[in-house]
């Protein structure tokens, strides 16, 4: 099995689908519940912490995949697990980012259709 890089068009399509779902859910939520959905500050802080952690792991992985002479290389199993993490993180990141973008469009009042 050959592993290839995730195409940008795939991530953009996932983000667009999630954006439309987030916009739709946020527009329909008040009709069924009676109030706008709340996003707790802890959710935003968790997303930022996860993004920073993934960035740090990426920087560490880059230096261990191509080490300077005398430095240890990354173990093959850790490299394979890192590839799986990168693939899932890119797709989940596109979905999550798209959903919150759609949520933000409604929250900020950026709408193209009349109410």
């Amino acid at each position: 099995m050959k592993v290839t890089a995730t195409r940008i068009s795939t991530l953009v399509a996932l983000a667009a689908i999630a954006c439309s779902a987030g916009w739709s859910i946020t527009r329909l939520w008040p009709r069924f519940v009676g109030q706008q959905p709340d996003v707790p500050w802890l959710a935003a802080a968790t997303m930022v912490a996860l993004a920073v952690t993934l960035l740090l792991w990426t920087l560490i992985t880059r230096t261990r995949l191509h080490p300077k002479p005398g430095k240890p290389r990354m173990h093959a199993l850790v490299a394979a697990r890192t590839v799986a993490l990168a693939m899932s993180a890119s797709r989940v990141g596109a979905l999550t980012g798209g959903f919150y973008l759609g949520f933000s469009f409604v929250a900020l009042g950026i709408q193209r259709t009349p109410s």
Side-chain angles (χ1 to χ4, degrees):
M1 180 177 177
K2 184 177 179 181
V3 178
T4 59
T6 304
R7 290 179 289 165
I8 298 295
S9 60
T10 302
L11 297 177
V12 169
L14 287 173
I17 291 167
C19 183
S20 65
W23 181 84
S24 299
I25 290 170
T26 307
R27 293 280 291 161
L28 292 173
W29 189 271
R31 291 189 177 122
F32 296 111
V33 179
Q35 64 181 6
Q36 288 290 341
D38 294 330
V39 177
W41 67 269
L42 190 57
T46 302
M47 292 293 177
V48 170
L50 285 172
V52 169
T53 303
L54 282 171
L55 176 66
L56 291 175
W57 183 255
T58 302
L59 296 175
I60 291 168
T61 301
R62 175 184 270 174
T63 59
R64 294 206 42 212
L65 284 177
H66 306 289
K68 295 179 182 176
K71 298 282 183 175
R73 289 185 58 90
M74 180 178 279
H75 191 271
L77 186 60
V78 175
R81 288 178 178 166
T82 300
V83 168
L85 175 67
M87 181 179 282
S88 64
S90 67
R91 293 177 182 178
V92 170
L95 288 171
T96 305
F99 183 83
Y100 279 117
L101 184 64
F103 184 91
S104 298
F105 285 162
V106 174
L108 296 175
I110 303 171
Q111 302 169 7
R112 292 191 175 251
T113 59
S115 299

